[in-house]
Amino acid sequence: MTGTPAADRPSVLFVCVHNAGRSQMAAAFLTHLAGDAVEVRSAGSAPADTVNPAVVEAMSEVGIDISAETPKVLTTEAVQASDVVITMGCGDTCPVFPGKTYLDWQLDDPAGQGMAAVRPIRDEIEHRIRTLLADLRVVPGA
């Protein structure tokens, strides 16, 4: 699927409150596993100033560098441009548009947590991303 025009690629938006933990990990795993076969976005309803350092470290442990990522604000345009919107604890702040697929992933918030708490969240997100790829019919690394 490499080189597929953007219109033919599924697009996924991950949303959490601060865009500093869960949504950053999910976006990084999807980008890492799908390459350019999926258009990936992440945003927060109330973005933090920086990505959670424990999340950066946890992702580094699995060979994914997100140290240059910055939290982004959720926009109506980002939702409109996405086929799948996955929320992670942002409540009702995400705008809803007809024709989109909405999923709500109940995941612990890594904010203020140490590595021992962040690792299982990271691993659960990776598992869910692999399931999402199968649902989107995207072969990891293809």
Side-chain angles (χ1 to χ4, degrees), residues 7-90:
D8 294 339
R9 296 185 300 164
S11 60
V12 179
L13 169 63
F14 296 100
V15 183
C16 67
V17 176
H18 300 296
N19 191 222
R22 296 166 289 188
S23 57
Q24 290 283 351
M25 287 191 282
F29 271 123
L30 185 54
T31 299
H32 179 75
L33 294 170
D36 65 356
V38 178
E39 187 175 359
V40 181
R41 297 178 183 85
S42 72
S45 53
D49 293 329
T50 60
V51 174
N52 179 333
V55 166
V56 172
E57 184 179 344
M59 293 303 287
S60 179
E61 287 181 348
V62 294
I64 300 174
D65 181 7
I66 63 169
S67 61
E69 295 298 325
T70 56
K72 294 165 277 311
V73 68
L74 175 65
T75 64
T76 300
E77 294 77 20
V79 177
Q80 287 177 315
S82 300
D83 300 313
V84 179
V85 179
I86 300 174
T87 58
M88 304 171 183
C90 68

Side-chain angles (χ1 to χ4, degrees), residues 1 10-12 30 38 83-84 131-138:
M1 271 184 110
S11 60
V12 179
L30 185 54
V38 178
D83 300 313
V84 179
T131 301
L132 176 67
L133 284 168
D135 292 346
L136 293 173
R137 294 180 176 87
V138 173

